[in-house]
Amino acid sequence: MKKAICGLAVAGLMLAGSVPAFAGWNLDGSKSSIGFSSVKNDAVFEQHGFRNLSGSISDDGEVKLTIDLNSVDTNIQIRDERMKKELFDTEKFPFTTAMAKVDVAKLKALAPGKTEVTDVEFALDLHGKNERLVASVQITGLENGGLLVSTIKPVEVKAGAFGLDGGVDKLRDIAKLNSILLSVPVNANLVFLSE
């Protein structure tokens, strides 16, 4: 009898071990994008972005998104270099991170093609400053348990809140511009793949 019980226990443990545990999602950087806009001289609108992104959503709902600021892409190389040096100061602050907490049960319940609209509060660590912001997003279920997270409207990031206004002034002076808007709208399309 004891042998039978032990045998069932061992079989149960083996079966449990063969079922993969949910481990969350990892960002697919090649299919994801974060873009931001700038307005100079009150009328000239330009779109920029970053080439290198990484991130994850853990099985307990901890979200971490990391942006490599050295990968800034404005389509003009000299402007990229100026942004890295004068605005972001990437020698001192090479990355910016966003951290949030989400409801994993709701995310796991999203069938392919189904969507959820929600507001996500997150902490943005940028240029040595940490501020709490809110993003209105649409989350869409993908095949194989993946997720597409897209901003519904831009997240407004104010340069002054992160000590970037001085850098904006330097860029304005270098480019001999009348003005550069200090409030920057940021959009995101993020693809997370199930682990």
Side-chain angles (χ1 to χ4, degrees), residues 135-146:
S136 296
V137 299
Q138 177 174 286
I139 306 170
T140 304
L142 303 176
E143 295 293 337
N144 301 316

Side-chain angles (χ1 to χ4, degrees), residues 10-21:
V10 170
L13 287 170
M14 288 174 68
L15 183 61
S18 68
V19 177

Side-chain angles (χ1 to χ4, degrees), residues 3-102:
K3 284 184 179 180
I5 292 172
C6 286
L8 285 171
V10 170
L13 287 170
M14 288 174 68
L15 183 61
S18 68
V19 177
F22 174 72
W25 296 265
N26 277 323
L27 185 76
D28 184 342
S30 66
K31 295 179 181 175
S32 302
S33 63
I34 291 182
F36 65 99
S37 306
S38 64
V39 180
K40 61 186 184 184
N41 290 342
D42 299 322
V44 182
F45 176 91
E46 293 177 303
Q47 188 69 28
H48 318 294
F50 299 94
R51 292 184 301 276
N52 298 334
L53 312 171
S54 61
S56 62
I57 304 173
S58 71
D59 57 1
D60 61 355
E62 297 288 344
V63 180
K64 183 175 183 181
L65 178 66
T66 301
I67 302 170
D68 177 2
L69 297 177
N70 278 302
S71 73
V72 65
D73 186 1
T74 68
N75 295 314
I76 298 175
Q77 187 175 357
I78 186 63
R79 186 164 57 191
D80 293 349
E81 295 304 319
R82 288 171 178 170
M83 277 198 174
K84 286 185 274 188
K85 181 180 178 183
E86 305 296 349
L87 180 64
F88 297 130
D89 188 9
T90 57
E91 283 194 10
K92 192 173 181 182
F93 306 106
F95 300 101
T96 183
T97 58
M99 306 280 286
K101 180 84 172 178
V102 294

